[in-house]
Amino acid sequence: MVSLKELSPELKDIATTDSGSISFKTYLAGDWVSSKELEEVQSPIDLSVYCKVPRLPKEMVDHAIDKVFQTGRWAVRDFPGEKRLEVFHKMAELLNKFRDDLVEVLVIGNGKTRASANGEVNASIERLIRADLDVRKLYGEYVPGDWSSESLEAEAIVRREPLGVVLAITPFNYPLFDVVNKFVYSTVAGNAILIKPAGRTPVPALLFARIAELAGFPKTGLAVLTVPGKEMDAIVSDQRIGVISFTGSTETGERVMRNGGVKQYVMELGGGDSAIVLNDADPVSAGQKLVTSITSYSGQRCDSVKFVFSEPQVYDKLRQVMVEEIKKIKVGDPRDEVNMGPVIEKGAVEELEFAVKDATDKGANVLYGGKRIKDNYVEPTLLEVEKGKVKSLYLYRKEVFLSVAVLTKVESVDEAIELSNGRRYGLDASIFGNDINKIRRAIRLLEVGAVYINDFPRHGIGYFPFGGRKDSGLGREGIGYTIEYVTAYKTVIYNYKGKGIWEYL
């Protein structure tokens, strides 16, 4: 049975320990609170309960939203931008100071390896520091009036203003970074924020709220809503919320938008990316990078490669390399020296088993994996499928959020593009090769939000903006880009008619 180590002294007061069981409080606009009903949180390592968090009743949620709306949004907006950046930098320092606590929670709560957990802490720190790059999109414009007869002797400024309150709904797979990222681009623009963490991984959001408090962020401008997803319909429809930033499945995202009504949305939804390997690619380098993408965090990433379409000349070598590389992946307890830990829940493994059987029934060849090791530990999986069968696969129609990919031989880059575009998702794509004409054609025709040349998709801190097309989402997440979705334009027109300021010919 896994358990969390004792928290650092500055973090301990947000949790209570009784007979070895840890119960966390949540942060509601300046107050650390609990509730009568608690939710148990399981570790994917052995499916044991390692902590409990409050299950907030409706009246507590409503009071928190009202406090953030009435007081918090103005507290953040009236907090000078220079001071916001100072607080972000202080938060970055505290994330590093409490690194051991955060890594421990990511290993126990997410089943991440220590290397992966440290990488997430590093990305969160860098995202806070790079908030200064978001600021460039907050500057406005000047519009002279003399380019239209109806606006002579007038001028305008066009400015961006915060929309008030952002509801950030974060996924289980990056429970620290996604909280930090949404927090930064929302609050640097002057918004208050409500964070709804994933029910399976809520603790990083609670620790981050404590860090924000210690760093001096306006207390009423932040709340963490530990509410089950099935109870979110009333919250997303609340008219006090001006923006919803959501990362998760397409199906859940569609429900959020149906219930949310007229608001601003940033939606990063389903993915599972395609890679195209051209005849002149280096099959060794491509194969190694692709296996890294397929197996990183057990494939529980929206930008994980799920389909590899290869031209004939390099196919056999690419296939050989990918099988050799995937065989090297060691699966086990993430506290040990392994490459892949458990997946977040048993149900995900059951879906993988269904998808593999569906593929083999349609003629797929299992090159490696496809089997449950135990409980929610599973082998990374590589399937070989004829191009004529690809579109019939369950894996093609749905995003199976695990370490599984399909390898297919195609005769041309156009066949690869057609298969890639045929999916309902359009997040990213990769192209491996050197023929600039083929690469340029694929860039033009691929219906995705980002194309990676000779590398696998990785969103990182959002230094390069990312976001999907089709059923993969709306808007863009990225430094200096998401600002556009959490702010509104306001045009201010000054009329000087008859004041003698201009004397037009």
Side-chain angles (χ1 to χ4, degrees):
M1 182 173 177
V2 302
S3 60
L4 289 174
K5 295 177 182 177
E6 188 173 2
L7 293 169
S8 295
E10 298 95 327
L11 305 178
K12 286 177 66 174
D13 60 352
I14 72 168
T16 58
T17 303
D18 182 21
S19 302
S21 175
I22 299 177
S23 296
F24 284 90
K25 300 175 185 177
T26 194
Y27 188 73
L28 298 182
D31 298 313
W32 286 98
V33 302
S34 189
S35 61
K36 292 181 180 179
E37 191 172 356
L38 300 177
E39 285 282 350
E40 294 182 337
V41 184
Q42 288 184 326
S43 168
I45 293 175
D46 63 358
L47 302 178
S48 63
V49 174
Y50 75 96
C51 75
K52 298 176 183 178
V53 299
R55 179 171 180 165
L56 297 176
K58 182 180 183 300
E59 58 271 18
M60 290 181 72
V61 171
D62 187 69
H63 177 72
I65 295 174
D66 197 59
K67 191 173 180 181
V68 170
F69 178 77
Q70 297 291 349
T71 305
R73 65 185 174 125
W74 294 108
V76 178
R77 186 168 177 176
D78 293 340
F79 196 54
E82 181 185 26
K83 291 188 179 297
R84 285 178 225 159
L85 290 181
E86 288 176 2
V87 167
F88 292 162
H89 291 171
K90 178 63 175 176
M91 292 168 71
E93 293 172 7
L94 290 173
L95 282 175
N96 194 45
K97 178 180 179 179
F98 301 127
R99 176 184 292 272
D100 290 346
D101 299 280
L102 294 164
V103 167
E104 175 79 1
V105 166
L106 291 169
V107 172
I108 298 299
N110 277 76
K112 296 197 171 197
T113 63
R114 293 202 174 273
S116 177
N118 267 297
E120 184 165 352
V121 175
N122 290 339
S124 301
I125 290 170
E126 186 174 1
R127 183 64 185 94
L128 284 159
I129 293 171
R130 289 278 64 86
D132 56 348
L133 296 180
D134 289 281
V135 176
R136 61 188 175 178
K137 287 294 182 73
L138 290 173
Y139 298 133
E141 297 177 342
Y142 168 76
V143 183
D146 63 319
W147 293 93
S148 171
S149 59
E150 69 176 16
S151 54
L152 288 176
E153 296 191 77
E155 61 185 353
I157 59 170
V158 183
R159 53 178 293 169
R160 283 192 175 275
E161 289 189 351
L163 281 162
V165 178
V166 176
L167 171 62
I169 306 175
T170 59
F172 79 84
N173 54 347
Y174 291 94
L176 177 63
F177 176 77
D178 275 324
V179 165
V180 171
N181 185 39
K182 293 179 189 298
F183 173 87
V184 170
Y185 63 63
S186 299
T187 62
V188 75
N191 294 291
I193 187 168
L194 305 166
I195 297 170
K196 180 353 192 144
R200 289 183 292 236
T201 56
V203 180
L206 301 176
L207 295 180
F208 177 75
R210 176 61 173 152
I211 287 169
E213 182 184 40
L214 291 171
F217 186 77
K219 292 180 180 295
T220 55
L222 168 64
V224 181
L225 308 180
T226 49
V227 177
K230 61 185 178 182
E231 296 179 11
M232 286 297 294
D233 287 356
I235 296 174
V236 300
S237 65
D238 196 304
Q239 293 187 350
R240 292 168 293 187
I241 294 168
V243 186
I244 296 178
S245 176
F246 172 86
T247 301
S249 71
T250 297
E251 290 75 15
T252 305
E254 289 172 339
R255 178 171 177 170
V256 167
M257 288 187 286
R258 280 196 303 270
N259 287 286
V262 180
K263 289 180 171 68
Q264 287 275 72
Y265 291 95
V266 186
M267 310 293 286
E268 197 211 330
L269 307 179
D273 294 339
S274 298
I276 299 172
V277 184
L278 303 178
N279 277 332
D280 62 352
D282 177 351
V284 176
S285 175
Q288 291 171 341
K289 290 177 178 177
L290 288 168
V291 169
T292 298
S293 176
I294 294 163
T295 60
S296 177
Y297 189 41
S298 305
Q300 298 173 118
R301 300 170 41 187
C302 57
D303 56 2
S304 178
V305 168
K306 303 298 184 189
F307 289 88
V308 181
F309 304 118
S310 173
E311 289 191 307
Q313 191 170 317
V314 293
Y315 182 83
D316 290 341
K317 182 63 177 177
L318 177 70
R319 179 180 184 272
Q320 175 192 333
V321 171
M322 291 186 70
V323 172
E324 289 173 353
E325 291 297 318
I326 207 166
K327 284 181 177 179
K328 297 176 185 177
I329 301 299
K330 185 178 179 181
V331 182
D333 190 319
R335 296 170 294 181
D336 299 331
E337 293 297 321
V338 299
N339 308 103
M340 267 178 54
V343 299
I344 199 68
E345 62 177 358
K346 283 184 177 181
V349 182
E350 292 163 3
E351 186 179 26
L352 173 66
E353 291 175 326
F354 173 84
V356 170
K357 184 178 185 304
D358 170 77
T360 54
D361 286 348
K362 292 168 181 172
N365 178 24
V366 179
L367 298 179
Y368 187 80
K371 297 177 182 176
R372 185 195 300 260
I373 297 172
K374 66 171 184 176
D375 296 328
N376 52 327
Y377 290 80
V378 64
E379 297 173 324
T381 301
L382 182 63
L383 304 173
E384 184 178 42
V385 180
E386 294 178 4
K387 63 184 179 184
K389 302 287 183 64
V390 170
K391 289 187 176 182
S392 68
L393 302 179
Y394 178 83
L395 286 163
Y396 189 84
R397 301 190 305 273
K398 297 279 288 183
E399 180 190 21
V400 177
F401 212 55
L402 284 184
S403 179
V404 56
V406 171
L407 176 63
T408 297
K409 184 191 294 185
V410 294
E411 294 303 318
S412 67
V413 67
D414 285 344
E415 284 188 353
I417 293 168
E418 193 272 333
L419 286 170
S420 178
N421 286 347
R423 297 189 74 218
R424 60 187 287 212
Y425 307 109
L427 188 56
D428 315 295
S430 287
I431 308 169
F432 292 87
N434 298 291
D435 186 329
I436 190 60
N437 294 315
K438 285 185 178 179
I439 292 171
R440 183 64 183 87
R441 179 172 176 78
I443 289 171
R444 179 172 181 266
L445 296 178
L446 284 166
E447 296 168 348
V448 295
V451 180
Y452 293 75
I453 311 301
N454 290 316
D455 202 359
F456 61 88
R458 51 180 109 187
H459 296 161
I461 66 167
Y463 186 81
F464 301 121
F466 61 91
R469 292 170 59 175
K470 301 188 288 188
D471 281 2
S472 285
L474 299 170
R476 287 293 177 271
E477 297 221 26
I479 298 174
Y481 285 84
T482 321
I483 289 289
E484 299 176 9
Y485 301 93
V486 297
T487 57
Y489 282 116
K490 178 178 281 183
T491 305
V492 182
I493 300 98
Y494 295 89
N495 177 21
Y496 298 101
K497 189 173 289 291
K499 302 300 182 182
I501 297 174
W502 287 279
E503 294 182 4
Y504 296 113
L505 296 177

